Structure formats: C-alpha cells, structure tokens
Amino acid sequence: MLNGFRVITSGVVLGAILLSGCGNPAEPDEAQQEKSPVMNENPDSNTGETQNAEVIKKGVGDVIQSIKGLQSELSAEADPERIQEMGKEMSSVWDSIEKQVEDEYPDWYERIEKNLYPLIGESGNPEKDLEKIKRLSEATKEDLQLFLEEVN
C-alpha cells in the first residue's frame, strides 16, 4: 500500500513538473516583442507599419496585374490551361500578402475575398464560365484598386 502511494505521489509530482513547463505561451512572445524594433511605442520610429503597407501595396499591384493578364487572355483565345495557370498565379500572389491584409484591414479582406476566391475557383474549373470569370475579375480588380487608394 505504501509503494502504491509513492508511485501515485511521484506521478503527480512529475506531472506537475512537466505541466509547469507549459506556462503561459504569451510570455516568450512578450519578451521577444520588447526586443523587436518594429514594436516601438514611438510612432516616429515605427517603420514596420510603413514596410507592411509597402509590401501590401506591391502585392495588391501584382494581383491586379495578374487579373489584367487574365482579362486579356479572356479577350484573346481564352486558352483554358492558360486561364487555370493565371488563376494559380493570382492565388499565389494573394497568398503572399493575405495574412497581412486580413490582420490590418479585416473589412477590406472580406470584401476582396468575396470576389477573388470565386474568381480563382472558376479559373481552375474544368468547365470555365468565361462570363462569370469576366464579371468576377472586373469586380475583384475594382475592389483591389479602391483598397490601394485607402492604403496610400
């Protein structure tokens, strides 16, 4: 009986030791943020936000260029494989800035994605609805251009 008590007690102690190592996950992040120059309280020296805006602007510009390329492909011979390839490229470019847009401009993120994701989906669809792609690409391009004006 005493051995059983020792085993249980050591199990509880060992478990407590292991669990104490799983402390608050925010602690390491907070320590790291203090060291990060981007997280300065002084707005004059905070270049992180400016850099993010520049990255977002460039990415959005690239997505707009992808859409324009897709639109010109639609008016030309509308090669289904090329349209699919351009949809993948558009998706890849958007993916590179998506998280930043979502974090910094949640309302714009939702608005842009209402047309962008169906556009990407339709461009990858084996039976492409070219009229739908034209409509979605125009709406997405318009949203992205309006978004760029707000970011500037």
Side-chain angles (χ1 to χ4, degrees), residues 4 6-7 16 21 28 30 38 40-41 45 68 78 94-95 107 110 115 118 123 127 133 140 147:
R6 284 184 185 162
V7 169
E30 289 169 5
V38 175
N40 278 333
E41 294 299 317
S45 63
K68 286 179 179 178
W94 176 250
D95 286 350
D107 293 341
E110 278 185 41
N115 292 312
S123 68
E127 298 296 318
I133 291 175
T140 304
F147 173 61

mmCIF file of all heavy atoms in Angstrom, residues 4 6-7 16 21 28 30 38 40-41 45 68 78 94-95 107 110 115 118 123 127 133 140 147:
data_model
loop_
_atom_site.group_PDB
_atom_site.id
_atom_site.type_symbol
_atom_site.label_atom_id
_atom_site.label_comp_id
_atom_site.label_asym_id
_atom_site.label_seq_id
_atom_site.Cartn_x
_atom_site.Cartn_y
_atom_site.Cartn_z
ATOM 1 N N GLY A 4 2.317 1.866 -3.493
ATOM 2 C CA GLY A 4 1.312 2.435 -4.394
ATOM 3 C C GLY A 4 1.168 3.941 -4.175
ATOM 4 O O GLY A 4 1.050 4.713 -5.126
ATOM 5 N N ARG A 6 3.485 5.953 -2.985
ATOM 6 C CA ARG A 6 4.706 6.605 -3.502
ATOM 7 C C ARG A 6 4.647 6.741 -5.025
ATOM 8 O O ARG A 6 5.042 7.760 -5.568
ATOM 9 C CB ARG A 6 5.948 5.801 -3.102
ATOM 10 C CG ARG A 6 6.322 5.975 -1.680
ATOM 11 C CD ARG A 6 7.599 5.235 -1.377
ATOM 12 N NE ARG A 6 7.882 5.317 0.044
ATOM 13 C CZ ARG A 6 8.697 4.523 0.680
ATOM 14 N NH1 ARG A 6 9.323 3.558 0.035
ATOM 15 N NH2 ARG A 6 8.905 4.673 1.957
ATOM 16 N N VAL A 7 4.172 5.697 -5.696
ATOM 17 C CA VAL A 7 4.092 5.739 -7.161
ATOM 18 C C VAL A 7 3.118 6.830 -7.603
ATOM 19 O O VAL A 7 3.416 7.624 -8.490
ATOM 20 C CB VAL A 7 3.666 4.357 -7.724
ATOM 21 C CG1 VAL A 7 3.319 4.448 -9.196
ATOM 22 C CG2 VAL A 7 4.755 3.324 -7.490
ATOM 23 N N ALA A 16 3.160 17.467 -12.373
ATOM 24 C CA ALA A 16 3.149 18.900 -12.041
ATOM 25 C C ALA A 16 4.390 19.594 -12.584
ATOM 26 O O ALA A 16 4.322 20.707 -13.110
ATOM 27 C CB ALA A 16 3.051 19.085 -10.527
ATOM 28 N N GLY A 21 6.202 23.461 -17.008
ATOM 29 C CA GLY A 21 6.983 23.888 -18.165
ATOM 30 C C GLY A 21 6.103 24.390 -19.289
ATOM 31 O O GLY A 21 6.558 25.026 -20.221
ATOM 32 N N PRO A 28 6.966 34.158 -23.865
ATOM 33 C CA PRO A 28 8.106 34.314 -24.774
ATOM 34 C C PRO A 28 7.849 35.374 -25.839
ATOM 35 O O PRO A 28 8.734 36.117 -26.201
ATOM 36 C CB PRO A 28 8.257 32.934 -25.422
ATOM 37 C CG PRO A 28 7.528 31.998 -24.530
ATOM 38 C CD PRO A 28 6.477 32.807 -23.835
ATOM 39 N N GLU A 30 6.028 38.083 -25.534
ATOM 40 C CA GLU A 30 6.161 39.412 -24.951
ATOM 41 C C GLU A 30 7.621 39.793 -24.801
ATOM 42 O O GLU A 30 8.013 40.915 -25.094
ATOM 43 C CB GLU A 30 5.468 39.466 -23.582
ATOM 44 C CG GLU A 30 3.957 39.423 -23.680
ATOM 45 C CD GLU A 30 3.280 39.216 -22.340
ATOM 46 O OE1 GLU A 30 3.974 39.208 -21.301
ATOM 47 O OE2 GLU A 30 2.065 39.055 -22.333
ATOM 48 N N VAL A 38 10.447 46.862 -34.393
ATOM 49 C CA VAL A 38 9.190 47.197 -35.066
ATOM 50 C C VAL A 38 8.121 47.572 -34.041
ATOM 51 O O VAL A 38 7.209 48.317 -34.333
ATOM 52 C CB VAL A 38 8.720 46.003 -35.940
ATOM 53 C CG1 VAL A 38 7.364 46.267 -36.540
ATOM 54 C CG2 VAL A 38 9.739 45.735 -37.024
ATOM 55 N N ASN A 40 8.196 49.484 -31.429
ATOM 56 C CA ASN A 40 8.459 50.690 -30.653
ATOM 57 C C ASN A 40 7.171 51.423 -30.364
ATOM 58 O O ASN A 40 6.276 51.482 -31.196
ATOM 59 C CB ASN A 40 9.394 51.633 -31.422
ATOM 60 C CG ASN A 40 10.840 51.256 -31.267
ATOM 61 O OD1 ASN A 40 11.228 50.666 -30.282
ATOM 62 N ND2 ASN A 40 11.634 51.603 -32.266
ATOM 63 N N GLU A 41 7.102 52.031 -29.196
ATOM 64 C CA GLU A 41 5.929 52.817 -28.829
ATOM 65 C C GLU A 41 5.956 54.158 -29.553
ATOM 66 O O GLU A 41 4.938 54.781 -29.762
ATOM 67 C CB GLU A 41 5.880 53.033 -27.310
ATOM 68 C CG GLU A 41 5.657 51.766 -26.507
ATOM 69 C CD GLU A 41 4.341 51.090 -26.842
ATOM 70 O OE1 GLU A 41 3.323 51.793 -26.979
ATOM 71 O OE2 GLU A 41 4.338 49.862 -26.992
ATOM 72 N N SER A 45 9.463 56.378 -34.997
ATOM 73 C CA SER A 45 10.491 55.395 -35.338
ATOM 74 C C SER A 45 9.898 54.054 -35.750
ATOM 75 O O SER A 45 10.613 53.108 -35.973
ATOM 76 C CB SER A 45 11.436 55.197 -34.145
ATOM 77 O OG SER A 45 10.709 54.669 -33.067
ATOM 78 N N LYS A 68 -5.412 41.586 -64.780
ATOM 79 C CA LYS A 68 -5.385 42.210 -66.111
ATOM 80 C C LYS A 68 -4.894 41.211 -67.159
ATOM 81 O O LYS A 68 -5.429 41.161 -68.274
ATOM 82 C CB LYS A 68 -4.495 43.451 -66.103
ATOM 83 C CG LYS A 68 -5.123 44.630 -65.397
ATOM 84 C CD LYS A 68 -4.198 45.836 -65.403
ATOM 85 C CE LYS A 68 -4.848 47.020 -64.709
ATOM 86 N NZ LYS A 68 -3.954 48.182 -64.655
ATOM 87 N N ALA A 78 -8.730 32.692 -75.094
ATOM 88 C CA ALA A 78 -9.314 32.052 -73.914
ATOM 89 C C ALA A 78 -8.876 30.591 -73.783
ATOM 90 O O ALA A 78 -9.694 29.686 -73.660
ATOM 91 C CB ALA A 78 -10.838 32.164 -73.921
ATOM 92 N N TRP A 94 -1.663 36.486 -54.049
ATOM 93 C CA TRP A 94 -2.556 36.903 -52.962
ATOM 94 C C TRP A 94 -2.140 36.229 -51.657
ATOM 95 O O TRP A 94 -2.113 36.867 -50.604
ATOM 96 C CB TRP A 94 -4.007 36.594 -53.302
ATOM 97 C CG TRP A 94 -4.949 36.917 -52.168
ATOM 98 C CD1 TRP A 94 -5.628 36.038 -51.394
ATOM 99 C CD2 TRP A 94 -5.297 38.211 -51.676
ATOM 100 N NE1 TRP A 94 -6.379 36.688 -50.454
ATOM 101 C CE2 TRP A 94 -6.194 38.043 -50.614
ATOM 102 C CE3 TRP A 94 -4.931 39.509 -52.031
ATOM 103 C CZ2 TRP A 94 -6.728 39.106 -49.895
ATOM 104 C CZ3 TRP A 94 -5.480 40.570 -51.311
ATOM 105 C CH2 TRP A 94 -6.361 40.362 -50.269
ATOM 106 N N ASP A 95 -1.812 34.947 -51.733
ATOM 107 C CA ASP A 95 -1.412 34.216 -50.523
ATOM 108 C C ASP A 95 -0.232 34.879 -49.828
ATOM 109 O O ASP A 95 -0.116 34.827 -48.609
ATOM 110 C CB ASP A 95 -1.053 32.766 -50.864
ATOM 111 C CG ASP A 95 -2.280 31.916 -51.162
ATOM 112 O OD1 ASP A 95 -3.416 32.379 -50.921
ATOM 113 O OD2 ASP A 95 -2.101 30.779 -51.658
ATOM 114 N N ASP A 107 -11.924 44.446 -42.854
ATOM 115 C CA ASP A 107 -13.114 44.718 -43.677
ATOM 116 C C ASP A 107 -12.784 44.604 -45.163
ATOM 117 O O ASP A 107 -13.558 44.027 -45.927
ATOM 118 C CB ASP A 107 -13.682 46.111 -43.380
ATOM 119 C CG ASP A 107 -14.247 46.203 -41.971
ATOM 120 O OD1 ASP A 107 -14.533 45.136 -41.382
ATOM 121 O OD2 ASP A 107 -14.390 47.330 -41.449
ATOM 122 N N GLU A 110 -12.333 40.904 -46.232
ATOM 123 C CA GLU A 110 -13.602 40.212 -46.516
ATOM 124 C C GLU A 110 -14.176 40.636 -47.859
ATOM 125 O O GLU A 110 -14.636 39.812 -48.641
ATOM 126 C CB GLU A 110 -14.620 40.511 -45.411
ATOM 127 C CG GLU A 110 -14.438 39.641 -44.184
ATOM 128 C CD GLU A 110 -15.542 39.875 -43.167
ATOM 129 O OE1 GLU A 110 -16.718 40.002 -43.582
ATOM 130 O OE2 GLU A 110 -15.220 39.930 -41.971
ATOM 131 N N ASN A 115 -15.067 38.196 -54.058
ATOM 132 C CA ASN A 115 -14.958 38.001 -55.498
ATOM 133 C C ASN A 115 -13.691 37.239 -55.890
ATOM 134 O O ASN A 115 -13.698 36.496 -56.863
ATOM 135 C CB ASN A 115 -14.987 39.349 -56.231
ATOM 136 C CG ASN A 115 -16.333 40.015 -56.134
ATOM 137 O OD1 ASN A 115 -17.359 39.394 -56.366
ATOM 138 N ND2 ASN A 115 -16.344 41.279 -55.770
ATOM 139 N N PRO A 118 -13.969 33.168 -55.513
ATOM 140 C CA PRO A 118 -14.758 32.564 -56.602
ATOM 141 C C PRO A 118 -14.045 32.701 -57.963
ATOM 142 O O PRO A 118 -14.133 31.801 -58.800
ATOM 143 C CB PRO A 118 -16.069 33.357 -56.587
ATOM 144 C CG PRO A 118 -16.179 33.866 -55.180
ATOM 145 C CD PRO A 118 -14.767 34.119 -54.737
ATOM 146 N N SER A 123 -11.503 29.954 -62.353
ATOM 147 C CA SER A 123 -10.404 29.842 -63.320
ATOM 148 C C SER A 123 -9.825 28.423 -63.311
ATOM 149 O O SER A 123 -9.263 27.980 -64.311
ATOM 150 C CB SER A 123 -9.315 30.868 -63.034
ATOM 151 O OG SER A 123 -8.656 30.577 -61.829
ATOM 152 N N GLU A 127 -14.832 23.186 -66.547
ATOM 153 C CA GLU A 127 -15.829 23.809 -67.423
ATOM 154 C C GLU A 127 -15.919 25.286 -67.045
ATOM 155 O O GLU A 127 -16.739 25.674 -66.230
ATOM 156 C CB GLU A 127 -17.192 23.122 -67.245
ATOM 157 C CG GLU A 127 -17.217 21.653 -67.602
ATOM 158 C CD GLU A 127 -16.934 21.412 -69.087
ATOM 159 O OE1 GLU A 127 -17.458 22.161 -69.922
ATOM 160 O OE2 GLU A 127 -16.177 20.466 -69.380
ATOM 161 N N ILE A 133 -16.126 34.572 -65.107
ATOM 162 C CA ILE A 133 -14.733 34.961 -64.854
ATOM 163 C C ILE A 133 -14.548 36.444 -65.170
ATOM 164 O O ILE A 133 -13.909 37.171 -64.406
ATOM 165 C CB ILE A 133 -13.749 34.090 -65.671
ATOM 166 C CG1 ILE A 133 -13.758 32.653 -65.138
ATOM 167 C CG2 ILE A 133 -12.340 34.662 -65.599
ATOM 168 C CD1 ILE A 133 -12.917 31.679 -65.957
ATOM 169 N N THR A 140 -13.248 42.128 -58.726
ATOM 170 C CA THR A 140 -12.076 41.970 -57.865
ATOM 171 C C THR A 140 -11.074 43.084 -58.135
ATOM 172 O O THR A 140 -10.521 43.671 -57.196
ATOM 173 C CB THR A 140 -11.408 40.593 -58.092
ATOM 174 O OG1 THR A 140 -12.378 39.568 -57.890
ATOM 175 C CG2 THR A 140 -10.256 40.377 -57.131
ATOM 176 N N PHE A 147 -9.010 49.537 -52.637
ATOM 177 C CA PHE A 147 -8.216 49.208 -51.448
ATOM 178 C C PHE A 147 -6.850 49.893 -51.511
ATOM 179 O O PHE A 147 -6.385 50.454 -50.527
ATOM 180 C CB PHE A 147 -8.070 47.679 -51.340
ATOM 181 C CG PHE A 147 -7.134 47.234 -50.248
ATOM 182 C CD1 PHE A 147 -7.383 47.553 -48.918
ATOM 183 C CD2 PHE A 147 -5.993 46.505 -50.546
ATOM 184 C CE1 PHE A 147 -6.520 47.144 -47.907
ATOM 185 C CE2 PHE A 147 -5.124 46.093 -49.552
ATOM 186 C CZ PHE A 147 -5.399 46.416 -48.231
#
